[in-house]
Structure formats: structure tokens, C-alpha cells
Amino acid sequence: MSEQRGERHRSRFNGDTRVLYRQAVRTPLPDIDAERMFYENMMNVADAQEQKADMLEDPDITLLEAYERQLEGISESYKRRLESIAGDDYESVALAHFNGDRDDRVSRLAAYYYEGLWRMQQRITVADMMFFPIIIRYPDSFTVNIRFASGYATTKSVVYESPEHSEEDVEDKYFDRYYNESLFEQKEAAAKIRAWADIIREEFPDPDESSFDERKFGGIVSGGGRKGSLFSSVLERVEPDPDRFDEPVEEPMLVPEGKEAKRTERELLPEGSLVI
């Protein structure tokens, strides 16, 4: 019965951008165990970059398959986060917030991640919507902004093409050249994406192998999108604002976005882009 209710809720849910707009989740890092968990999560993000690079270098894996695998991995991480916040029935908790039946810390967090999960799943079929998250480490906490932007690429994205999904009618005598150039683009993109994994590891060092001063600040912003046969990726370091928070935090909570989020929009998004 609960599964049937969940299916009915999903069929009615069409997203609610208000829960993401200009907001982030701030999570405390009260001790070394919490820092280790954060570090492990960020190493998973770095590993995912390398796995994506491996797929781009493999001619037997299409770009669409690599793209969908990446989205599935992110979706699974959101589901785990939802379960840790609101339990197995996280969907009902999130929908209670959307429907106006709950407005407490847990329901707000559940709604935030559920909206991100829903939009992530929509990206498989919807073009011109770019995933544009930002993660920042502060001395006593870290923040995650789940953001989506219009368009499929930033001003600094690496763009590569999938011949299998091109709608262009390439003459047979030119197809081999077109195909080989696309493979070359993918290999160039793979090299850059592999280097981004190193940036993540540098920004978020192992708490057991670094001093507190070395790891108390760090940040990355990334972006990925698709338009037809074109795919894009980007990852950049972010300089954290040391004055962003005046008060400590004891449990995960929603907070307004910081200066870093606005700065990355100005620096990376084309003029006229919409962000949610």
C-alpha cells in the first residue's frame, strides 16, 4: 500500500524550485570521525571523476551511457543522504513539506535533497539543464549547494561530442574523420577530467595525514550538461569566504548561499543563464 501511495505522489510531483533557490545545506564537522566521513565522501567524488575519464577513453562505452552512469551515481548518493536524514520513508517526509503539512528542519532538508534527486533524474531526458553544484569546507562544517542552470555548458567547460547521437547527416566519406575527431575530443576531455580528481584530493586532504590548518578550508564547483550529441564538463577550485559563518552549527541545516556561489555564477555562467 505504501508503495502505491509513493507512486501516486511521484506521478503528481513536478518539482518545486523554491526549496533549492539560493540555499545550501550546512553540515557540522564536530570531530575527527566526522572529518573522516567527509573526506571519504569527497574521495568518492574524486574516484567518480576518474571512472568517468575511464569511460570516455573506452570506445566501447557511449557518451550517453557514461553520462547516465554518472547521474545514477549522484542519484544514489542523494538517496543515501535522504535516508540518513529522514529514514526509509524520506519521500513522504519531503512531500509533507512540499504540501505544507510540515515545516521543520528534517522536512526542509528532506525536501531539499528530494528536489535535487528529482531534478537529477529529469536530466536524463531533459536537455539544456546543467548540474552546477558547489561544495565548500570551513573549519567546523561544510556546505553543499545543489544547483541547476539553464544551458548545457559553462564558459570554461570542456565540450565533447558523441557521433552515435548526432542528428547531423555526415556524408559517408567524411564519417570516419568525424568519428575519429570525436574520439580525440573524448580523450582530451578524459585527461582534463582525470586531472580534476587530483584537484578534489588537494582541496580536501586526508585528516589523518594533514594538519588542521591545511584542511580547514577548501572548495570546488563543478558542472555537467548535455545538448543533443554534445556533452560538457567542468571543475574549478573555489576560494572559501572565511567570514561566512559567525556561529557554530550542531546539526545539518539549510542556510542561505554564500558569496562563493554568486561568484561562481558570475565567473562561469554565460550571460542570461538562469539558476535554481
Side-chain angles (χ1 to χ4, degrees), residues 17-82:
T17 59
R18 292 173 298 176
V19 301
L20 295 182
Y21 188 66
R22 304 302 182 193
Q23 295 197 93
V25 176
R26 184 186 181 194
T27 302
L29 293 172
D31 51 40
I32 192 65
D33 288 337
E35 288 203 59
R36 288 178 181 135
M37 184 176 296
F38 172 67
Y39 168 74
E40 290 172 4
N41 289 336
M42 295 313 302
M43 292 309 98
N44 288 336
V45 175
D47 291 344
Q49 293 287 338
E50 292 186 333
Q51 291 165 5
K52 182 176 180 179
D54 290 341
M55 287 188 285
L56 289 182
E57 291 174 334
D58 188 340
D60 294 328
I61 298 178
T62 68
L63 283 187
L64 182 60
E65 183 179 354
Y67 178 75
E68 290 180 347
R69 283 194 200 177
Q70 183 185 33
L71 296 186
E72 288 169 1
I74 298 170
S75 294
E76 285 302 315
S77 71
Y78 283 12
K79 290 178 183 177
R80 290 193 296 270
R81 176 61 61 181
L82 278 161

Side-chain angles (χ1 to χ4, degrees), residues 148-215:
F148 296 88
S150 60
Y152 79 99
T154 72
T155 56
K156 295 185 179 180
S157 292
V158 55
V159 178
Y160 37 99
E161 188 163 8
S162 172
E164 295 88 347
H165 301 93
S166 176
E167 296 181 356
E168 293 186 16
D169 186 13
V170 180
E171 294 183 28
D172 290 343
K173 63 180 179 180
Y174 298 120
F175 184 80
D176 286 345
R177 178 180 177 182
Y178 168 62
Y179 183 80
N180 291 329
E181 287 178 350
S182 297
L183 290 181
F184 180 74
E185 286 179 354
Q186 292 175 32
K187 289 182 179 180
E188 284 193 321
K192 292 182 179 181
I193 291 170
R194 202 178 300 281
W196 294 340
D198 293 333
I199 291 177
I200 296 171
R201 295 189 175 100
E202 291 167 2
E203 287 296 302
F204 308 106
D206 188 338
D208 292 316
E209 297 181 2
S210 61
S211 68
F212 182 71
D213 283 343
E214 290 175 315
R215 65 179 187 270

Side-chain angles (χ1 to χ4, degrees), residues 70-254:
Q70 183 185 33
L71 296 186
E72 288 169 1
I74 298 170
S75 294
E76 285 302 315
S77 71
Y78 283 12
K79 290 178 183 177
R80 290 193 296 270
R81 176 61 61 181
L82 278 161
E83 289 171 354
S84 69
I85 290 169
D88 294 339
D89 200 24
Y90 62 78
E91 183 180 41
S92 294
V93 176
L95 292 172
H97 179 79
F98 288 123
N99 294 332
D101 298 325
R102 287 185 59 170
D103 188 25
D104 54 275
R105 183 186 66 85
V106 170
S107 69
R108 288 192 291 270
L109 287 171
Y112 186 88
Y113 280 107
Y114 190 80
E115 174 73 13
L117 173 63
W118 182 82
R119 292 200 172 273
M120 186 60 58
Q121 293 169 337
Q122 297 300 304
R123 285 185 65 221
I124 294 178
T125 56
V126 177
D128 285 348
M129 184 173 67
M130 182 171 44
F131 185 44
F132 189 51
I134 178 171
I135 303 172
I136 305 178
R137 162 73 198 266
Y138 301 94
D140 66 344
S141 59
F142 69 93
T143 60
V144 176
N145 288 55
I146 298 176
R147 301 185 298 182
F148 296 88
S150 60
Y152 79 99
T154 72
T155 56
K156 295 185 179 180
S157 292
V158 55
V159 178
Y160 37 99
E161 188 163 8
S162 172
E164 295 88 347
H165 301 93
S166 176
E167 296 181 356
E168 293 186 16
D169 186 13
V170 180
E171 294 183 28
D172 290 343
K173 63 180 179 180
Y174 298 120
F175 184 80
D176 286 345
R177 178 180 177 182
Y178 168 62
Y179 183 80
N180 291 329
E181 287 178 350
S182 297
L183 290 181
F184 180 74
E185 286 179 354
Q186 292 175 32
K187 289 182 179 180
E188 284 193 321
K192 292 182 179 181
I193 291 170
R194 202 178 300 281
W196 294 340
D198 293 333
I199 291 177
I200 296 171
R201 295 189 175 100
E202 291 167 2
E203 287 296 302
F204 308 106
D206 188 338
D208 292 316
E209 297 181 2
S210 61
S211 68
F212 182 71
D213 283 343
E214 290 175 315
R215 65 179 187 270
K216 66 181 181 180
F217 288 110
I220 58 168
V221 60
S222 62
R226 175 196 175 197
K227 182 178 182 180
S229 62
L230 296 176
F231 295 76
S232 77
S233 297
V234 69
L235 188 142
E236 299 256 311
R237 300 177 195 271
V238 174
E239 188 69 28
D241 175 8
D243 301 319
R244 180 174 179 184
F245 297 114
D246 296 326
E247 300 293 334
V249 62
E250 296 183 355
E251 53 191 359
M253 61 186 297
L254 287 179

